[in-house]
Amino acid sequence: MQINSAKDLKVYKSAYELAMKVFELSRRFPAEEKFALTSQIRRSSRSVCLNLREAWAKRRYEAHFISKLTDCDGENSETESSLDFAQDCRYIASKEHTELTALCKEIGRMLGSMIKNPDSFLILSR
């Protein structure tokens, strides 16, 4: 498959799916979490996709590309931690937590692979 955009990457599609699921479930969080956990988990989950788009735009420079992928990985880890809080505060069920943290782990593995093997994604200078 030809990859023309970050949106074509499996990791992007998985991260987008996670962000949308996080959005939907966070709608049930209590009002007092609006400016705390609700906002934080939505921002971190969306940041994975946003940073992937930035990484894709910086493929001419390996260090910049890896740096943005590292940012993605950090935001993904932050999302996973927020899911732990959401479960422990009883805002989400164990089943939802298990499903979403598994998706975080899958995204983390894909990002880790890209960080370790960036060459196939880079734009080579001539």
Side-chain angles (χ1 to χ4, degrees):
M1 180 179 123
Q2 176 83 17
I3 297 175
N4 298 312
S5 159
K7 292 170 73 171
D8 295 331
L9 298 169
K10 181 174 181 352
V11 66
Y12 182 92
K13 292 174 183 177
S14 294
Y16 194 90
E17 175 189 355
L18 175 65
M20 292 307 297
K21 286 181 177 184
V22 162
F23 172 75
E24 285 301 323
L25 73 86
S26 67
R27 294 173 79 177
R28 302 188 321 244
F29 290 4
E32 68 262 18
E33 290 287 7
K34 181 176 182 179
F35 299 107
L37 187 60
T38 303
S39 175
Q40 190 63 36
I41 196 170
R42 287 178 180 178
R43 282 186 286 116
S44 65
S45 65
R46 290 171 179 168
S47 284
V48 179
C49 293
L50 298 172
N51 281 305
L52 271 168
R53 297 291 296 268
E54 283 190 58
W56 190 259
K58 295 183 175 188
R59 291 175 298 135
R60 290 189 189 282
Y61 312 100
E62 183 175 357
H64 290 280
F65 180 66
I66 292 172
S67 176
K68 292 312 294 181
L69 291 176
T70 302
D71 291 344
C72 292
D73 197 35
E75 296 291 344
N76 185 56
S77 294
E78 187 175 319
T79 300
E80 188 173 356
S81 293
S82 292
L83 289 167
D84 293 344
F85 281 110
Q87 178 186 28
D88 292 345
C89 292
R90 296 184 186 92
Y91 302 153
I92 63 172
S94 291
K95 182 180 178 189
E96 292 169 311
H97 178 267
T98 299
E99 174 190 334
L100 296 175
T101 56
L103 190 50
C104 284
K105 286 175 179 38
E106 177 188 342
I107 292 165
R109 283 191 295 275
M110 288 187 275
L111 291 170
S113 178
M114 290 175 75
I115 290 167
K116 289 178 187 168
N117 305 294
D119 292 344
S120 62
F121 301 97
L122 299 174
I123 298 171
L124 302 174
S125 300
R126 293 180 186 200

